[in-house]
């Protein structure tokens, strides 16, 4: 069960809180729900009372989950770097949102995450939460929405009238990429497994390709931009459908490493970065009814390990959220 507001306030009053932590390197099997120290906040930080959090299924394998910027081990570690909550306190000398304000953020990968009752977040990364969403829905936006935005517009330079291929369109990042590309006036081809077809079509995909039923190369034809959310052989094969002058952007692996020698297109790999202005724009579109998150499952924080495992098993649309305050 999620910890209730009153109970958690009592527990965190003594500088401790409940959190999901991993003491040893590994996958979700390492996650334990336990008492942990409340995070300390410094100049430029806010302490955020976490109401809901979300995560990327593969983040337990990423180095910043285990190390600080100097490469030093920082175990035990708390995962989940998407937060929706309220500002509980500001660091000494820090200005920013008012205490009590509802905020959401993609948080620093090199610091502890939001699978906890409290998280320390740099104020510059916090944006006002969309007013039309619940905390659980808002937690499903920051990482996935920013990744989709940065892939399509910052790295992919997508413009109206172009054709974009989005591999893995039914997942956390894909559902935002489809909606954003559709709104930008692009023709959208989404791929995935059969279960995703109805969802991605509702979100604005013009075509769907079931990767388990047919080679996507035949069905997609030539595209101006491809966004890869799957990697591996699918990523490597995608070079063959990029038009000369087009681009292949992946957030899973560097496409340039597997590019054909006669490359006439651009490849890019990037790690998403916190961006307050882009979060404000995502919130504006959400509140205008032009963009929506998809929360495929919600689990209470104590069941966080099972939540990670369920998302990794596959078949859950959009994001899985962790509910921290009922
Ligand atoms: N570099 C960055 O900054 C960054 C940021 C965000 C995400 N990522 C990475 O991007 C990837 C996608 O993230 P996400 O949050 O969108 O994950 P996700 O929710 O799991 O979405 C991936 C989607 O692709 C589908 N898929 C995977 N393999 C497939 C295959 N062989 N055939 C057909 N469909 C397949 C999945 O379907 P099933 O569920 O049925 O498997 C799922 O719908 C992850 O690897 C993540 O680590 C990187």
């Amino acid at each position: 069960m999620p910890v209730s507001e009153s109970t958690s306030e009592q527990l965190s009053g003594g500088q401790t809180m409940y959190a999901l932590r991993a003491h040893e390197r590994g996958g979700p099997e390492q996650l334990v729900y336990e008492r942990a120290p409340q995070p300390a906040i410094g100049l430029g930080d806010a302490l955020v009372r976490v109401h809901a959090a979300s995560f990327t299924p593969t983040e337990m394998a990423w180095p910043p989950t285990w190390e600080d910027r100097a490469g030093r081990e920082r175990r035990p570690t708390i995962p989940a770097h998407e937060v929706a909550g309220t500002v509980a306190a500001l660091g000494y000398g820090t200005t920013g949102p008012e205490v009590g304000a509802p905020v959401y953020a993609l948080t620093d990968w090199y610091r502890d995450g939001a699978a906890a009752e409290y998280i320390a977040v740099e104020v510059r990364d916090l944006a006002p939460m969309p007013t039309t969403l619940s905390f659980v829905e808002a937690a499903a936006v920051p990482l996935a929405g920013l990744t989709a935005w940065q892939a399509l517009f910052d790295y992919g330079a997508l413009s109206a009238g172009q054709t974009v291929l989005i591999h893995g369109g039914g997942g956390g990042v894909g559902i935002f990429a489809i909606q954003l590309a559709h709104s930008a006036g692009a023709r959208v081809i989404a791929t995935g497994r059969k279960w995703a077809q109805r969802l991605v079509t509702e979100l604005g995909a013009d075509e769907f390709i079931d990767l388990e039923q047919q080679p996507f190369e035949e069905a997609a034809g030539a595209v101006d931009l491809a966004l890869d959310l799957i990697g591996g052989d699918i990523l490597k094969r995608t070079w063959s459908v990029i038009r000369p002058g087009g681009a292949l952007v992946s957030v899973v692996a560097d496409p340039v490493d597997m590019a054909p020698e006669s490359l006439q297109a651009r490849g890019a790999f990037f790690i998403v970065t916190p961006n307050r202005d882009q979060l404000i724009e995502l919130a504006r579109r959400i509140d205008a009814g032009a963009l929506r998150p998809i929360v495929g499952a919600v689990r209470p924080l104590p069941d966080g390990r099972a939540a990670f495992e369920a998302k990794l098993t596959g078949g859950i649309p959009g994001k899985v959220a962790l509910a921290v305050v009922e």
Side-chain angles (χ1 to χ4, degrees), residues 51-100:
H51 287 240
S54 189
F55 56 88
T56 291
T58 51
E59 69 175 74
M60 298 290 287
W62 298 358
T65 298
W66 307 100
E67 298 165 6
D68 66 16
R69 283 197 165 75
R72 291 177 298 233
E73 287 280 323
R74 56 173 193 87
R75 288 179 287 145
T77 188
I78 300 174
H81 288 75
E82 292 165 282
V83 63
T86 48
V87 175
L90 293 169
Y92 179 76
T94 302
T95 54
E98 289 186 8
V99 170

Side-chain angles (χ1 to χ4, degrees), residues 82-170:
E82 292 165 282
V83 63
T86 48
V87 175
L90 293 169
Y92 179 76
T94 302
T95 54
E98 289 186 8
V99 170
V103 289
Y104 77 147
L106 165 63
T107 69
D108 188 343
W109 287 110
Y110 287 93
R111 298 177 78 175
D112 276 336
E117 293 181 289
Y118 290 89
I119 181 175
V121 185
E122 285 166 64
V123 161
R124 67 178 176 200
D125 294 339
L126 292 174
M129 209 176 93
T131 57
T132 53
L133 296 186
S134 66
F135 286 104
V136 159
E137 291 167 325
V141 177
L143 175 128
L146 288 176
T147 303
W149 183 282
Q150 291 169 17
L152 292 174
F153 305 123
D154 297 346
Y155 290 87
L158 182 70
S159 57
Q162 292 189 324
T163 297
V164 58
L165 173 67
I166 298 171
H167 285 309

Side-chain angles (χ1 to χ4, degrees), residues 56-58 62 143 147 168 170-174 192-193 195 211 229-230 251-252 269-272 311 314-316 318-319:
T56 291
T58 51
W62 298 358
L143 175 128
T147 303
V173 179
R193 298 186 217 279
W195 64 258
L211 290 173
L229 304 167
I230 296 179
V251 290
V252 182
F269 167 79
F270 72 99
I271 305 283
V272 63
K311 185 60 178 159
I316 299 180
K319 300 285 291 186

Side-chain angles (χ1 to χ4, degrees), residues 30-307:
Q30 297 293 346
L31 292 171
V32 189
Y33 180 69
E34 61 185 3
R35 298 286 284 263
Q38 244 187 54
I41 50 170
L43 183 66
D45 282 341
L47 184 70
V48 174
R49 177 73 172 97
V50 181
H51 287 240
S54 189
F55 56 88
T56 291
T58 51
E59 69 175 74
M60 298 290 287
W62 298 358
T65 298
W66 307 100
E67 298 165 6
D68 66 16
R69 283 197 165 75
R72 291 177 298 233
E73 287 280 323
R74 56 173 193 87
R75 288 179 287 145
T77 188
I78 300 174
H81 288 75
E82 292 165 282
V83 63
T86 48
V87 175
L90 293 169
Y92 179 76
T94 302
T95 54
E98 289 186 8
V99 170
V103 289
Y104 77 147
L106 165 63
T107 69
D108 188 343
W109 287 110
Y110 287 93
R111 298 177 78 175
D112 276 336
E117 293 181 289
Y118 290 89
I119 181 175
V121 185
E122 285 166 64
V123 161
R124 67 178 176 200
D125 294 339
L126 292 174
M129 209 176 93
T131 57
T132 53
L133 296 186
S134 66
F135 286 104
V136 159
E137 291 167 325
V141 177
L143 175 128
L146 288 176
T147 303
W149 183 282
Q150 291 169 17
L152 292 174
F153 305 123
D154 297 346
Y155 290 87
L158 182 70
S159 57
Q162 292 189 324
T163 297
V164 58
L165 173 67
I166 298 171
H167 285 309
V173 179
I175 63 99
F176 282 105
I178 289 167
Q179 296 176 80
L180 292 172
H182 176 72
S183 310
R187 179 171 157 259
V188 181
I189 306 170
T191 75
R193 298 186 217 279
K194 178 73 184 155
W195 64 258
Q197 177 162 12
R198 190 162 156 204
L199 173 65
V200 303
T201 307
E202 277 174 16
L203 294 176
D206 299 284
E207 288 175 49
F208 174 78
I209 303 171
D210 181 343
L211 290 173
E212 293 177 325
Q213 293 302 317
Q214 66 181 133
F216 70 85
E217 295 91 327
E218 283 173 18
V223 305
D224 301 289
L225 171 65
L227 169 54
D228 166 59
L229 304 167
I230 296 179
D233 187 51
I234 299 286
L235 169 56
K236 189 174 179 186
R237 284 164 45 200
T238 300
W239 278 117
S240 69
V241 302
I242 309 290
R243 286 196 177 106
L248 171 50
V249 177
S250 177
V251 290
V252 182
D254 192 342
V256 177
D257 292 343
M258 47 187 88
E261 283 192 4
S262 57
L263 184 61
Q264 293 186 329
R266 194 167 53 81
F269 167 79
F270 72 99
I271 305 283
V272 63
T273 48
N275 187 310
R276 183 172 191 273
D277 289 343
Q278 289 175 353
L279 278 183
I280 289 171
E281 175 59 16
L282 290 169
R284 189 192 66 74
R285 291 179 184 220
I286 288 166
D287 289 338
L291 185 67
R292 64 182 167 112
I294 301 291
V295 180
V298 185
R299 296 285 182 93
L301 182 61
D303 295 350
R305 174 178 162 175

